[in-house]
């Protein structure tokens, strides 16, 4: 099964599996924010979100892609939390979010900037307690990762969420996933990691041990462990 490239310049088609993925992402992130901001005494929540494969922000049909979903849910969460706090007489919460958006496609990044700008303007004007900073990178995820780490460490973010929504199955190295999970720099890290299992299984070069080894490298599995 060949991977279909995303045509961000013309408008990418939203496939059904992506729609389902977005539903899970939205629901999970909403719950994550509700849990992380539930204590009435907490007055600030700081978070860095890393989109390794951000896409163009919106699909041809107008539906939100993952970067827009993150912003919509941040906005919804802070508005809901502060309404409840106000009703109960508690101090309002401030949220600070660094959103690092990387994609290899220049068309995706240009489209993304266009879709993010009105949302950022709206937040700056009407959600003053949500402090959003957006950084764009235009590299492979592996190429961008050192810069991503610099952003996180310069901002001293302890809560970090990675969305690694790659095309296919081989664009994130196993050692990078380990580095993300083991980093002491950010003690609370969560990773959404997607990969196309069908594409991987159909392309596995089971009769060629060297190629099989190379294909399995991103997962940290060797051919002996797979019983090949
Ligand atoms: C599945 S799409 C992302 C969809 C997006 N997360 C969303 O939910 O709307 C995968 C993206 O990865 C980008 N891409 C492909 N190879 C890449 C790489 N090695 N590093 C970073 N981005 C890459 C493509 O341009 C495409 O926009």
């Amino acid at each position: 099964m060949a991977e279909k490239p995303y045509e961000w310049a013309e408008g990418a088609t939203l496939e059904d599996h992506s729609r389902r993925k977005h539903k899970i992402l939205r629901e999970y992130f909403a719950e994550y924010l509700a849990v992380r901001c539930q204590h009435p005494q907490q007055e600030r929540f700081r978070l860095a979100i890393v989109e390794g494969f951000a896409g163009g922000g919106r699909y041809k049909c107008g539906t939100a892609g993952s970067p827009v979903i993150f912003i919509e849910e941040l906005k919804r969460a802070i508005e809901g939390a502060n309404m409840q706090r106000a009703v109960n007489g508690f101090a309002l919460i401030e949220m600070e979010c660094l959103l690092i958006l990387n994609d290899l496609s220049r068309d995706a990044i240009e489209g993304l900037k266009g879709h993010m700008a009105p949302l950022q303007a709206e937040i700056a004007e009407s959600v003053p307690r949500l402090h959003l900073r957006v950084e764009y990178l235009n590299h492979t995820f592996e190429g961008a990762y050192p810069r991503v780490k610099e952003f996180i460490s310069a901002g001293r973010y302890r809560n970090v969420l990675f969305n690694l929504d790659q095309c296919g199955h081989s664009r994130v190295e196993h050692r990078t996933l380990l580095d993300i999970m083991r980093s002491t720099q950010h003690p609370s890290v969560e990773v959404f990691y997607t990969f196309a299992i069908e594409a991987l299984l159909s392309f596995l070069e089971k009769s060629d041990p060297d190629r099989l080894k190379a294909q399995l490298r991103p997962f940290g599995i060797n051919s002996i462990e797979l019983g090949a």
Side-chain angles (χ1 to χ4, degrees):
M1 196 172 70
E3 284 167 25
K4 266 194 282 170
Y6 282 74
E7 304 289 352
W8 293 113
E10 291 85 50
T13 305
L14 178 62
E15 306 282 352
D16 195 44
H17 64 90
S18 297
R19 203 181 284 279
R20 287 164 194 234
K21 199 163 55 184
H22 288 155
K23 183 172 183 290
I24 294 168
L25 181 72
R26 191 184 282 285
E27 288 174 0
Y28 182 88
F29 187 52
E31 193 57 28
Y32 170 90
L33 291 173
V35 170
R36 301 307 296 267
C37 301
Q38 67 188 336
H39 297 296
Q41 290 78 18
Q42 185 187 355
E43 292 182 6
R44 195 166 191 84
F45 179 62
R46 299 183 73 241
L47 168 71
I49 300 174
V50 181
E51 282 269 25
F53 305 80
R58 284 196 189 277
Y59 289 80
K60 202 182 208 160
C61 55
T63 304
S66 52
V68 171
I69 290 173
F70 281 121
I71 295 199
E72 288 175 348
E73 291 308 316
L74 278 165
K75 185 169 171 281
R76 199 193 311 271
I78 193 165
E79 285 175 342
N82 280 340
M83 193 182 294
Q84 250 194 336
R85 282 166 181 250
V87 168
N88 294 317
F90 294 124
L92 302 187
I93 194 164
E94 305 260 339
M95 278 190 201
E96 188 187 319
C97 179
L98 167 65
L99 190 51
I100 305 173
L101 303 177
N102 177 67
D103 199 285
L104 181 58
S105 153
R106 174 137 290 280
D107 289 339
I109 292 296
E110 289 312 312
L112 191 50
K113 286 179 180 169
H115 292 304
M116 297 298 282
L119 289 172
Q120 287 177 262
E122 189 197 332
I123 285 168
E125 197 181 306
S126 60
V127 197
R129 287 190 165 76
L130 176 54
H131 309 279
L132 187 65
R133 176 178 149 212
V134 183
E135 295 288 347
Y136 295 94
L137 297 172
N138 184 203
H139 302 287
T140 61
F141 172 66
E142 289 294 332
Y145 185 60
R147 187 77 189 106
V148 165
K149 283 174 71 166
E150 283 170 13
F151 276 128
I152 295 171
S153 95
R156 297 171 188 267
Y157 287 92
R158 296 171 63 79
N159 304 299
V160 183
L161 210 150
F162 281 80
N163 186 24
L164 301 181
D165 185 18
Q166 61 181 321
C167 304
H169 56 269
S170 58
R171 288 170 170 91
V172 182
E173 291 288 340
H174 183 63
R175 61 166 181 267
T176 306
L177 273 180
L178 289 182
D179 191 71
I180 292 170
M181 301 302 289
R182 287 178 180 161
S183 173
T184 48
Q185 179 189 325
H186 38 75
S188 167
V189 62
E190 312 227 355
V191 183
F192 293 95
Y193 173 61
T194 48
F195 65 91
I197 186 76
E198 275 180 38
L200 172 65
L201 293 179
S202 15
F203 279 112
L204 279 183
E205 298 274 358
K206 297 181 191 119
S207 56
D208 180 338
D210 288 337
R211 294 203 62 183
L212 182 61
K213 209 165 123 194
Q215 286 174 319
L216 294 176
R217 201 191 55 225
F219 303 95
I221 306 170
N222 62 46
S223 43
I224 298 160
E225 283 168 329
L226 199 76

